[in-house]
Amino acid sequence: SVSVIADAYLKNATRINAEKALEAMIFTSKINELGKSEFRKKGFISSQNEPESVSKTLEYAYDDFCIAQMAAKLGKNDIAEEYYRSSLSFLNVYDPSSKFMRARRGGQWFSPFDPSEVNFNYTEANSWQYSLYAPQAISVLAETMGGKSSLSMWLDQLFQTNSALKGRDQVDITGLIGQYAHGNEPSHHMAYLYNYSDQPARTQFYVDSILKTMYTTLPDGLSGNEDCGQMSAWYVLSALGLYQVTPSHPFYDFGRPIIDHAVINLPDNKKFEIKVINNTLSNKYIQSVKLNNKTYNTLQINHSDIVNGGALEFTMGPKPPKSEHFSSSVSAINKVDYGFVPVPFFTNEQRLFDDSLRVDISALNIHSYAKRSIEYRFTKDTTKILKFDKPFYIHSSTQLQSRSTYQDDKGKQFRSAWVDAEFVKKDPNIHLILKTEYAPQYAASGKDALIDGIMGGNEYRTGDWQGFWATDLLAEINFDEARMLKKIGLSCLEDTKSWIFLPKSIKIMISYDGQNYLPLGELTSELPTANYSGAKAHTYALEHKGDRAIKSIKIIAANFGKCPEWHIGKGNDTWLFVDEILLK
């Protein structure tokens, strides 16, 4: 709610008790819930600690901008600077190699990565639909991407790429133009971002297209859910030729007005008129603008210019003006400042390696930084801090930490938070053969996730569990050299609210020669009930009491089957979520 409160106050809603409102904003921003504590400490939320980590990181960064705006207007400059600095944290999930906002597992990027994939790193969306979610600092994001032309090229790809979605089904992603989804809020500002690029006329082109194709007067005339009236509000504002890209920054961007004449009635008998000349279906491009009969050459108008009353006049035409006479829009934050230092990232996306691994560390090189460096240390000895100047090799399982530092032109030092990465050396004598295909959106670390030594927690959406839909798990483990084992088992997740059921049974078979198998035993789980007690990881294991070394193992975890009668999804298929195969 901070964006609503701050936007109202920035627009001079004087009946707000601003001091108490700011106090409440700051308090709620620091509550230990939904990843906020990690965001405050690290500047981003790690995917293994919180679902929808990318969306939450981006939205918390924007929320902090709103708090900063409120504090600045109240003259509380220390608070404003703290929250302006935090509002730049969207850069911590920006991957410069792909130019997308991506989930992170601490110091590493979450992989595999496909921007069209709908998964639980994003809220009701994919990376296409969240990667331009930095409304407070679009100019900074454009610069980070490579400049205004890079922003327009990214937007072109968004609107023109294939609309096919991958990953899990998400009913909220509707109204697609390429990967732009007009049926859901995260996309709603995107067409207006051409105003911040070198191709502002494309805002008018796409707004015109959306107004014409995404709305009808039929009962299903909206292309998405009318959440709090947002679909209609977008239409009304855009029909007037106005859209506020950044609530709490009281400016409206120009788009493509479709009305001929409108009057906004204001307090004290004031009026603000909008007139559109040469307004036809084919005349979608703004040729000129006048504000109170004076030529107006920018693509934004201040809220105060509207509430003071007056007249805004658009003249339209069939093509963009030959010479660009409109200056680009500028976002509220247009440069990196406030001592913000982006956290570094390990370029190695895999966590599991065979013999040795080349470790490389990088960080965003924000254009305003004077002297930048990267430091790292081994977790087993955090007192020894090393300067990273070239990639190095590790030959065993290793935990590392890294941070960025920079020095400004006055010699003041700034540092990012430390980020962690864990690299696990795979036992070269163990080979896993999965005979069942896992769902790509629940891949964990990939083909060897069940033997990577990294255990999942009680949350299936954090990326450490492998999910199998409507099928049993069939897995085989072979050892190059037979080994003595006391226990063999499997870790499974139960979250019936999310249609994740424990296996009906787990059968384990062993072979001493790699060819002939003997049953070690069979485990069964308790039948689930309608009394949901939360998500919980379960470990199942059987003892091996023989004195012979084992050469091969086969594990069959039977899918629960259909949802029971008491379940909301009764009669439908269920998920089986597993993580580590336990070998002791």
Side-chain angles (χ1 to χ4, degrees), residues 116-128:
S116 301
E117 182 180 281
V118 180
N119 58 41
F120 284 105
N121 294 320
Y122 307 89
T123 304
E124 299 178 0
N126 60 23
S127 186
W128 276 111

Side-chain angles (χ1 to χ4, degrees), residues 435-437 468-474 556-560 576:
K435 297 187 175 181
T436 312
E437 192 171 333
F468 299 83
W469 172 250
T471 186
D472 300 340
L473 167 70
L474 306 176
I556 303 172
N559 180 276
F560 179 83
L576 171 63

Side-chain angles (χ1 to χ4, degrees), residues 279-297:
N279 188 24
T280 66
L281 287 175
S282 60
N283 288 350
K284 67 185 72 170
Y285 295 105
I286 297 173
Q287 307 297 302
S288 63
V289 180
K290 288 183 179 180
L291 177 62
N292 299 328
N293 292 317
K294 294 181 180 179
T295 300
Y296 197 79
N297 292 326

Side-chain angles (χ1 to χ4, degrees), residues 241-242 250-254 272 286-306 311-315 324-327 329:
L242 307 172
F251 288 82
Y252 301 86
D253 273 278
F254 294 152
F272 188 79
I286 297 173
Q287 307 297 302
S288 63
V289 180
K290 288 183 179 180
L291 177 62
N292 299 328
N293 292 317
K294 294 181 180 179
T295 300
Y296 197 79
N297 292 326
T298 64
L299 292 167
Q300 291 175 312
I301 185 171
N302 196 312
H303 177 78
S304 62
D305 288 329
I306 295 175
L312 182 66
E313 181 181 282
F314 296 100
T315 299
E324 190 55 67
H325 56 268
F326 293 108
S327 59
S329 295

Side-chain angles (χ1 to χ4, degrees), residues 6 10 37 140 206 227 249 495:
L10 268 291
S37 293
V140 173
Y206 281 109
D227 295 335
H249 179 57
D495 188 357

